[in-house]
Amino acid sequence: MRNNVYLGHKAIKHLGQNFLHDPNIINAIVSSIDPKSSENLVEIGPGLGAITEALVQKIDKFTVIELDHNLTKRLRNHPILKDKLTIYEENAMQFNFTKLMRVNNKLRIFGNLPYNISTPLIFHLFKFHKNIQDMHFTLQKELVNRLAAQPGNKAYSRLTVMTQYYCKIVPVLEIPSTAFFPKPKINSAFVRLILHDNLPYPATSLKWLNRVCRYAFNQRRKTIRNCYKELLDIKILQKLGINPNIRPENLTLKEFVEIANWLDMDR
Ligand code: SAH
C-alpha cells in the first residue's frame, strides 16, 4: 500500500479519501443503518465501495453520489454493483436532492464523509429536511460530540443548536483511525441524525436564529444579558421567562428560538 495506493486507486487527499477496510466496522455500520429494499437509500461518497458492497447484499437498488470520475468509472464496471446502483457523478454539496424524492418514501442518506466538507454538506442537506427520514455519517469524533452536546456542556455550540433544530442526534459507534486507509490523523465516530417530522421549535427566521446563536457563543463567558445588550432589553428576556444571568451555553434550543422569533417580530 505504497504512495497511498489502495486496491489500485491512489487516494486523493483533498477529496477526503480515507477508505474503510475493517470488516467488523463495516458490518456494524450496515447493521445500524438497517436498510430495507423498499427504502429510498442514498450513499454519499461510496469511494471503492466498502459500505456499498456490504449494503447491496441486503437491498436491490439504491443511489450513490460520487465526485471522483475514476471511482464512478470503477463502480460502473463493478460486476455486482453496476446493475444495482444509480450513479450520479456530482458534487454532493451542490446536488439537488429533490430529484431523488419519491412519494411517501423519504430519503435515507448515509456515507463516510470527507472531513473537510462534512459540516457544510450537512447544512446543505438540511435544506431538504422535510424529505429526509434519517442520515448516518462517519464524522470526526469531536464533531459528533459537538452535534450531540446538551446545554451546560463545553461542546455545546452554535453548531449544536442549529443541528438539533432539525434533528435528534444519536452517536452510534467510535471508529479507530486504523479502520481506514490511508490512516487519518483524527478519530472518527459514526452518528445517526433522525430528522424531526415536524420542527419542535420553528423559527420565523433562520437568519435570526443563526445570529442569536452567533452573538451568544462568540461571547461564551458573558451572561446572556450582556451578550444581548445591543439587541434587546433585559425586560424582554424576563418576559420570555429566560434568566438574564445565565451563560449562553445554558440556553436551550427552545430559548434560542424564542429570542430569535421575538427579534424577528420586533424588526
Ligand atoms: N465510502 C468509502 C469512501 C470514503 S472517502 C469508504 O468508506 O471507504 C470519501 C469519499 O467521498 C471519496 O470517495 C471521495 O471521492 C468522495 N467525495 C469527496 N468529496 C465529495 C463531494 N463533494 N461529493 C461527492 N463525493 C465526494
Side-chain angles (χ1 to χ4, degrees):
M1 295 202 276
R2 269 183 303 138
N3 299 325
N4 288 348
V5 173
Y6 181 57
L7 300 175
H9 172 83
K10 186 171 188 317
I12 302 176
K13 202 170 169 196
H14 79 264
L15 288 180
Q17 293 184 351
N18 299 98
F19 301 106
L20 265 173
H21 62 75
D22 182 327
N24 292 328
I25 300 282
I26 294 169
N27 282 340
I29 286 178
V30 174
S31 18
S32 65
I33 299 174
D34 192 21
K36 305 275 186 317
S37 265
S38 57
E39 291 171 341
N40 195 353
L41 290 140
V42 184
E43 180 174 8
I44 297 177
L48 292 161
I51 307 172
T52 329
E53 281 179 6
L55 215 95
V56 292
Q57 293 175 14
K58 304 198 170 208
I59 58 165
D60 295 335
K61 280 210 172 300
F62 68 102
T63 303
V64 298
I65 304 168
E66 169 60 63
L67 186 57
D68 183 342
H69 177 68
N70 288 327
L71 293 174
T72 56
K73 203 163 99 190
R74 285 175 72 124
L75 294 171
R76 286 198 180 98
N77 291 317
H78 189 292
I80 302 157
L81 295 179
K82 66 178 199 280
D83 300 324
K84 298 205 164 197
L85 301 181
T86 306
I87 303 170
Y88 290 89
E89 188 181 310
E90 285 187 47
N91 183 344
M93 294 225 271
Q94 282 147 21
F95 190 82
N96 180 3
F97 285 83
T98 44
K99 63 181 172 198
L100 304 180
M101 285 165 196
R102 288 189 225 137
V103 183
N104 293 330
N105 204 347
K106 289 190 180 184
L107 301 171
R108 298 196 68 208
I109 298 174
F110 61 96
N112 165 15
L113 299 186
Y115 299 111
N116 53 346
I117 63 162
S118 38
T119 306
L121 180 57
I122 289 172
F123 280 91
H124 175 65
L125 287 161
F126 284 152
K127 294 179 198 155
F128 308 92
H129 70 98
K130 289 193 183 123
N131 294 292
I132 302 175
Q133 180 183 325
D134 58 20
M135 312 199 273
H136 288 82
F137 293 132
T138 302
L139 304 172
Q140 187 168 359
K141 194 177 141 202
E142 278 68 31
L143 179 58
V144 171
N145 290 343
R146 283 175 70 197
L147 299 184
Q150 291 301 312
N153 190 297
K154 233 172 58 193
Y156 191 67
S157 58
R158 183 174 68 90
L159 194 61
T160 316
V161 177
M162 296 309 293
T163 308
Q164 294 186 7
Y165 178 78
Y166 292 104
C167 55
K168 184 174 167 219
I169 320 286
V170 186
V172 178
L173 177 76
E174 293 198 5
I175 307 184
S177 55
T178 49
F180 301 92
F181 182 85
K183 192 174 137 212
K185 289 200 182 70
I186 49 160
N187 289 317
S188 302
F190 188 66
V191 65
R192 177 180 302 135
L193 288 75
I194 307 167
L195 280 290
H196 298 307
D197 277 332
N198 296 303
L199 296 176
Y201 309 111
T204 54
S205 153
L206 271 182
K207 270 204 185 112
W208 267 114
L209 181 60
N210 226 317
R211 195 155 170 217
V212 159
C213 290
R214 233 181 251 283
Y215 253 85
F217 290 110
N218 284 349
Q219 316 177 70
R220 289 183 87 99
R221 305 304 311 148
K222 290 191 184 167
T223 61
I224 53 166
R225 124 206 252 159
N226 283 333
C227 287
Y228 291 131
K229 68 171 182 277
E230 292 165 25
L231 287 179
L232 41 80
D233 197 89
I234 180 172
K235 286 202 197 92
I236 303 300
L237 289 173
Q238 283 160 341
K239 198 175 136 207
L240 295 173
I242 299 170
N243 177 352
N245 298 318
I246 59 175
R247 293 193 200 284
E249 65 187 30
N250 292 307
L251 280 177
T252 61
L253 165 64
K254 178 169 181 273
E255 291 168 329
F256 277 116
V257 171
E258 279 168 353
I259 297 172
N261 286 355
W262 193 91
L263 286 165
D264 183 40
M265 191 177 69
D266 196 38
R267 302 289 133 160

